[in-house]
Amino acid sequence: MFRNLLIADSGTGHVEEMVRMLQDIPSFGRAKVNLLHVVQEQNKSQADDHRSNAEQLLKAAIQKMALNPDGVNTLVREGDPKQTVLKVAEELSCDLIVMGSRGLGRLQSILSNSTSQYVFQLSTRPMLLVRDDLYVRHVNRVMVTVDGTGVGDEAVRTACELVRDIPGGTLTGVHVSRQDITPTRGGRTKADDVLDSAVQRARSYGIDLKPLHATGADIGREVCQAAKQTQADLVVIASQDRRPLVARGLVDLDKLLGGSVSDYIRVHAPAPVLLVREAEKG
């Protein structure tokens, strides 16, 4: 599943607890771990002090995560944290970025210069976001959004491979319709077809997916409600949100201030969120 992790650790929040939990899952336990701490650019004397502090912080983080120090690639970089996380992920060809998040809304994120929101918006790679205000439990109950698209199928695959490695793990697939769907003469709806397809796809991975259908105008809100209902420990979502291809240094304000479903779930989900990206074209 994920073979090369980039953990952007700031020394705060619950990222370290989450990583320690994930180490019990074989597919994560076998992954290469890159642990990054970014030091803001300073004058030379300040930079030396901050670099020394960062190295101590990374050592402490390795202990908290119960990682083997010999198997961790630690990196201390200077620069803008937002750009540096993206750059390092590209350099190391990481297939998952793990970050903490303060759970700020869109406008708050822009005004506070949120690193996690920026990376969430611009990265083309899967991300695992762990909100600072969430208590990280064991990962047992996984919920995945089901939408019948290519990237949605990828999210189902990712969730299945994850649950397959968890003893006693369960998987719920939720599909949200914006309005009630009129059944066909056979009594079936498009939602039934989408969920049935996901159930069959999960079976091909040896997983029993429990289908759940919800209706509501606000898809993000319904997904979060379903996560509460199922007591999900982890929410896996697919994102087809448009990301800017040209101006990598600019945040996509339309999406940040608009109705991004994945952004709503990032802020309001009652569990950490694993975002599966659509492969970028061009």
Side-chain angles (χ1 to χ4, degrees), residues 61-83:
I62 289 172
Q63 289 183 334
K64 272 182 153 182
M65 296 182 202
L67 298 171
N68 177 3
D70 296 332
V72 179
N73 176 31
T74 57
L75 303 100
V76 178
R77 294 285 181 88
E78 292 180 26
D80 180 346
K82 302 185 297 297
Q83 295 286 353

Side-chain angles (χ1 to χ4, degrees), residues 74-230:
T74 57
L75 303 100
V76 178
R77 294 285 181 88
E78 292 180 26
D80 180 346
K82 302 185 297 297
Q83 295 286 353
T84 304
V85 171
L86 289 169
K87 183 178 178 182
V88 171
E90 292 291 330
E91 285 177 7
L92 302 179
S93 297
C94 295
D95 51 22
L96 179 67
I97 300 171
V98 184
M99 292 188 73
S101 167
R102 286 174 290 169
L104 300 175
R106 301 179 186 97
L107 183 56
Q108 286 177 297
S109 292
I110 297 171
L111 296 178
S112 66
N113 206 19
S114 168
T115 298
S116 62
Q117 169 61 23
Y118 185 94
V119 176
F120 179 87
Q121 185 65 21
L122 295 183
S123 176
T124 60
R125 301 172 187 276
M127 287 189 68
L128 175 59
L129 285 168
V130 185
R131 279 212 327 269
D132 292 350
D133 61 342
L134 288 176
Y135 174 72
V136 181
R137 303 169 294 180
H138 60 278
V139 177
N140 184 273
R141 295 180 291 268
V142 178
M143 191 188 84
V144 61
T145 55
V146 176
D147 60 14
T149 66
V151 66
D153 288 346
E154 183 68 11
V156 171
R157 180 190 68 81
T158 298
C160 287
E161 291 184 349
L162 182 62
V163 171
R164 191 167 56 188
D165 263 356
I166 302 173
T170 62
L171 179 61
T172 299
V174 60
H175 177 73
V176 180
S177 304
R178 291 189 186 275
Q179 57 186 2
D180 286 325
I181 304 172
T182 305
T184 62
R185 287 183 180 178
R188 293 183 59 80
T189 67
K190 183 180 178 182
D192 292 326
D193 293 337
V194 170
L195 285 169
D196 283 355
S197 177
V199 168
Q200 294 303 320
R201 185 172 178 80
R203 280 182 186 158
S204 71
Y205 291 102
I207 298 298
D208 181 18
L209 180 146
K210 179 182 177 181
L212 177 64
H213 178 243
T215 303
D218 190 328
I219 293 178
R221 188 181 299 275
E222 292 300 328
V223 169
C224 291
Q225 185 58 41
K228 289 179 183 176
Q229 177 184 332
T230 60

